[in-house]
Amino acid sequence: MTNFLSPKSGDLLYIFWAGHGLITSERERRLLCADANKQNWQNLDLNSLLVLLGSDKFQIRNHICIIDACANYVLESKGRPTNLGGKTFLSGQPKPDSQQFVLLATREGEKAKVNSENKTGYFSQAVREAFAAANGSFPPNMREVTEAVQQQFNDLDKKQLPTYFYSRSWDGNIETFHFNPFDIPHNIPQSQALKFVGRDEQIEQLCQLLQANDIVAISDVIGQGGVGKTELAIQYSWQYLEDYSGGCCWLNAQGSDLGTQLINFAMFCLSNFNPPEQLDTTGKVLYCWKNWQAGKVLLIFDDVKDWKQIQPYLPPKGSRFKVLITTRLNTGLIYTSLPLGKLSPDAALELLAKLLGEDLVKQEPDKAKILCEYVDYIPIGLYQIAAIYRKPGGV
């Protein structure tokens, strides 16, 4: 990149990177080199590479970068250092006529799944098929390629969504910016689930309900908790973050004052958001609705126990704000709801196998089924079984 390619001139640099990748605690996307090992985590800083390509220190003007690599967090993986070091690139002044299209296999926090049968990444396979469908045209129409790849992943249901985060039109006259999902303001909690199973249909239902309604509640059919309402909201928020370019604000209904939570999020996460000091909390909440950054917004009120508690903090009806509520309440529902109950027997067994180990469950499948039935196929019950099993002397 620096010695061989930088001095060369040209119209288009085409990069296809396939390998291991991760995201650091500073949310930098890193690409591991082929000779990386646990003693030397050789890697490239992707963002600094892209900045170099678009600077006057690099003479090839246009770039298509396709990256098939994981983007899971470095701190989530055992044995990986928190300070990776790695190669960063020095850049010069930005070139006004430089144009880039970057297509990534995953959103932040996701793993790039591998098709072990074909010995290739599902993403690489989908990209090659999209190029083949273009009948050899080059450079390819990357928007059409991206749409084809994303559609294929929607059908595969791999909990992985390829995304692109920046492009300009090739004629250089019209610029079109696309939201980088890494830059969308949010405070979505990280999932605590070892495996999310049995709720794919509910995720799709939730998506449809939020398209048709301003406010949707995930309710608890059982009324005892532990069915996975909060986890479903987390999974939906991460999977559809790209749809909410205005941000995703998570509010804990059992935490501090909701108005304070909302205002703090806006002040710390949104650019150029400065409510007048003389406004009280109510006034600042109203200021939020009128001065929030552009784009559709998702607000999540988690663990609501009293409808009156959230009423003062709901955005105006018919606005670009969508509201998702999680609650155990089964009575007095005044909003469109998605009732959540126990898992199917197969899904419960799949979760138990993940928690206890597939080998153990395969050795004694009948006992595993009895355990699932004993906790009535409720996710939290299966987690409690796993906790008991892991205790010293647990059986």
Side-chain angles (χ1 to χ4, degrees), residues 348-349 351-353 355-357 360-361 367-391 394-395:
L349 197 62
L351 177 56
L352 188 64
L355 296 173
L356 297 183
L360 182 62
V361 170
K367 290 184 179 179
K369 291 177 181 177
I370 291 172
L371 285 174
C372 293
E373 183 180 359
Y374 178 74
V375 297
D376 201 23
Y377 310 105
I378 296 175
I380 196 171
L382 298 172
Y383 274 90
Q384 289 169 341
I385 286 175
I388 294 169
Y389 177 75
R390 291 193 186 97
K391 286 183 179 180
V395 294

Side-chain angles (χ1 to χ4, degrees), residues 221-237:
V221 172
I222 300 170
Q224 298 176 356
V227 296
K229 302 180 298 300
T230 296
E231 186 61 37
L232 183 66
I234 290 173
Q235 295 289 336
Y236 170 82
S237 301

Side-chain angles (χ1 to χ4, degrees), residues 197-380:
V197 300
R199 301 300 195 197
D200 293 339
E201 183 179 344
Q202 284 82 1
I203 287 278
E204 181 61 31
Q205 289 175 339
L206 197 54
C207 180
Q208 294 173 0
L209 289 173
L210 281 166
Q211 287 177 354
N213 302 275
D214 290 338
I215 302 176
V216 175
I218 303 175
S219 59
D220 186 342
V221 172
I222 300 170
Q224 298 176 356
V227 296
K229 302 180 298 300
T230 296
E231 186 61 37
L232 183 66
I234 290 173
Q235 295 289 336
Y236 170 82
S237 301
W238 280 117
Q239 290 186 37
Y240 288 91
L241 179 59
E242 244 182 345
D243 292 348
Y244 298 96
S245 56
C248 179
C249 176
W250 188 283
L251 303 167
N252 180 3
Q254 302 310 311
S256 60
D257 177 74
L258 286 172
T260 301
Q261 291 183 52
L262 178 65
I263 296 162
N264 285 345
F265 174 87
M267 292 182 67
F268 285 107
C269 297
L270 306 182
S271 57
N272 301 318
F273 185 89
N274 298 296
E277 287 292 335
Q278 63 270 26
L279 294 177
D280 61 10
T281 300
T282 300
K284 289 179 179 179
V285 169
L286 295 175
Y287 184 90
C288 285
W289 312 140
K290 291 188 177 182
N291 296 276
W292 203 281
Q293 75 174 37
K296 191 166 70 170
V297 182
L298 178 64
L299 301 176
I300 301 103
F301 292 87
D302 184 39
D303 195 17
V304 173
K305 297 180 179 178
D306 183 354
W307 297 121
K308 293 180 181 178
Q309 179 189 10
I310 65 171
Q311 293 293 337
Y313 310 108
L314 294 176
K317 289 184 178 180
S319 63
R320 56 195 172 93
F321 292 83
K322 296 288 185 177
V323 175
L324 179 59
I325 298 167
T326 71
T327 180
R328 288 191 194 182
L329 297 175
N330 285 315
T331 58
L333 276 170
I334 54 178
Y335 307 114
T336 301
S337 70
L338 175 65
L340 205 61
K342 55 190 176 184
L343 295 170
S344 69
D346 288 343
L349 197 62
E350 183 183 353
L351 177 56
L352 188 64
K354 181 65 178 179
L355 296 173
L356 297 183
E358 293 186 8
D359 291 341
L360 182 62
V361 170
K362 286 180 179 178
Q363 289 171 8
E364 302 189 73
D366 292 337
K367 290 184 179 179
K369 291 177 181 177
I370 291 172
L371 285 174
C372 293
E373 183 180 359
Y374 178 74
V375 297
D376 201 23
Y377 310 105
I378 296 175
I380 196 171

